Amino acid sequence: INEVAEEIRGAAQITEDVLRLAKRHGFSDEQIGRLTNQSEAVVRGVRHVLGIRPVYKTVDTCAAEFAAYTPYHYSSYDEEDEVAQHAKPSVIILGSGPNRIGQGIEFDYSCVHATMALREAGHETVMINCNPETVSTDYDISDRLYFEPLTLEDVLEVIHAEQRTGGVLGVFVQLGGQTPLKLAQELADAGIPILGTSPEAIDLAEHRGAFQRVLDEGGLIAPKNGTAVSFEDAKKIADEIGYPVLVRPSYVLGGRGMEIVYDEANLSRYIANATEITPDHPVLVDRFLEDAIEIDVDALFDGTDLYVGGIMEHIEEAGIHSGDSACVLPPITLGADVIGRVVEATGAIASGVGVRGLINIQFALASDVLYVIEANPRASRTVPFVSKATGVQLAKAAALIGMGTTIAELRAAGKLKATGDGSALPLDAPVAVKEAVLPFSRFRTPEGTVVDSLLGPEMRSTGEVMGIDKYFDTAFAKSQAAANSALPTAGKIFVSVANRDKRSIIMPVKLMSDLGFEILSTGGTADVLRRNGIQATTVRKVGEGAGPNGEGTVVDLITAGDINMVINTPSGGQARGDGYEIRAAATSIGCPVITTVSEFTAAVQAIEAMRSYEWDVCSLQEYAAKLQASTVA
């Protein structure tokens, strides 16, 4: 490969022989462009003029035992093409690509449900994806599967193959997360029809200045913010906003590269380490809202009508990535007036952006002020959760809206409930709690210790589970058990919280004490608890070492299995790093670790319910039938 690369680099110009040599050895247009100091577009243009294009082979899933007609294709720079002619123009869905932290099977769910709905409606569907572990790459899900990378080059070649064998109606880019979404504008520039939300609308939601105009027109507000392409820009914005600030790259998924910055020194470090900062992809700097309630909304919009699929209230504080937060549907502490404001704001944003299909919006409620955090004009990772909790298949509806069906028509056909204004679940409907699966015990630092379990703005979970019950407390308990973090019903708990949390921690700790739990704590927190009539045993901090009589530190107690649950709520720049040894010790032995007061309060409710009630388990199918029977349109 290195020899071929040198030969390509040494070529005087891009000739047919150079291109065929490069393609036979697996070089992409982008790689060839870098080696020849040409743009990817120039390389692709020359290649097309010379007629150097891949053909598509069919995977023989029958091992030559008998004729195989499975529509499962892969590309090759060979001679014979095996893509059959098709009678109808195809609808192409771009999948989510390789699973990674921040992008996983939640998006695959939307892709699969979309192709199911489109096939049922009579369309020929084509899936492009390259992950063998997902359902969308099962060859019987779509009419044809192309097992190809989600790059512009590979997607354009598949589209070309479909165009010459029957035609293409258009491409869905909004169902597979951020990976296909990034291709929207380049595909449109190549003359490919984009179904559903347009590339212009997608960019409008991502472009900070343009999105701010949408908010202004809707009378909505966002946390103070700005965009920066240098440290000087970022420093000026942070000085105006005030620390802490939330900094992140634009066009990212899963909060990758996102960080809460508490001072100028850390801001300088962040900018210095950031890559690919350009005027088109600046760093976004936002005021960080501490102690705010985060709210997630999944909705459908067809250009006229809005359908709110679900309003989810996060259990953890704002600032923790939504993919890592536990959330509850329907909301359990939001009043009708707040829900009304959320619905109104969702409609204004969906209309202002120009969405045609799914939109996910994240809000933060602080001091009764509703802030818009961000809007994603695509399927979100919460779509499967909302769909299973409510019995409404949002991804299927979004695909049909992208093909021109209206929300009114979907309601008339029974595919959407008559309601959809945020009150789709009545007060007596079951409560669903989504919890993240966090694999901290499986990840190790270079020194061999487990990574810190402290949650933040960058997503770290690798999956999610759901607990459903009539009431929140038992639903939350189920979600914790399903996430392999079952709550204790007796024993000892260790409590160490930041100064700002000492007042709010008193009542839940007292409830735990009243339930018979033994409370252990380090000096400062123990003093506060005792002053409030709560018996607390002081244990030694990590840095204090063993006591004169051999008393172990809190880490020693955790490692020995003497503590059944850890509550640790750090705050502030340096404080967020404190307590790592405590959290790592608990994580390494599977002891539940709670890092926010709001989650601890929910856990106390759940523990009390676990000691008072028993519950039954039923399948999602049984649950869906019960839900359908109780919510007649």
Side-chain angles (χ1 to χ4, degrees), residues 14-90:
I14 304 176
T15 64
E16 182 175 352
D17 290 340
V18 169
L19 284 173
R20 290 195 183 280
L21 174 69
K23 288 302 177 183
R24 280 199 305 271
H25 286 82
F27 286 83
S28 68
D29 289 347
E30 181 184 10
Q31 291 171 319
I32 297 169
R34 286 204 304 266
L35 291 170
T36 58
N37 294 318
Q38 299 288 343
S39 70
E40 179 182 354
V42 167
V43 174
R44 183 160 44 249
V46 173
R47 182 168 59 79
H48 287 177
V49 168
L50 295 172
I52 303 174
R53 308 191 80 137
V55 297
Y56 291 90
K57 300 295 186 179
T58 302
V59 174
D60 185 0
T61 55
C62 299
E65 187 174 342
F66 49 86
Y69 299 100
T70 51
Y72 184 177
H73 302 300
Y74 65 95
S75 64
S76 173
Y77 276 86
D78 201 348
E79 299 298 326
E80 183 182 358
D81 190 85
E82 298 178 2
V83 178
Q85 291 288 324
H86 45 97
K88 299 178 183 178
S90 58

Side-chain angles (χ1 to χ4, degrees), residues 503-517:
R503 172 179 289 187
S504 54
I505 206 75
I506 292 168
M507 287 307 299
V509 173
K510 187 176 189 312
L511 284 172
M512 292 292 281
S513 179
D514 291 344
L515 289 171
F517 283 85

Side-chain angles (χ1 to χ4, degrees), residues 444-514:
R444 302 279 167 168
T445 67
E447 293 75 27
T449 57
V450 296
V451 299
D452 197 350
S453 59
L454 187 64
L455 301 179
E458 183 168 350
M459 182 174 168
R460 304 169 77 180
S461 72
T462 54
E464 60 185 35
V465 294
M466 178 168 64
I468 306 173
D469 204 277
K470 185 175 182 180
Y471 299 111
F472 167 74
D473 48 11
T474 41
F476 184 80
K478 290 180 180 180
S479 73
Q480 300 309 296
N484 296 319
S485 186
L487 299 171
T489 55
K492 301 176 182 178
I493 66 170
F494 171 77
V495 182
S496 177
V497 298
N499 287 331
R500 69 180 183 124
D501 294 323
K502 284 183 168 58
R503 172 179 289 187
S504 54
I505 206 75
I506 292 168
M507 287 307 299
V509 173
K510 187 176 189 312
L511 284 172
M512 292 292 281
S513 179
D514 291 344

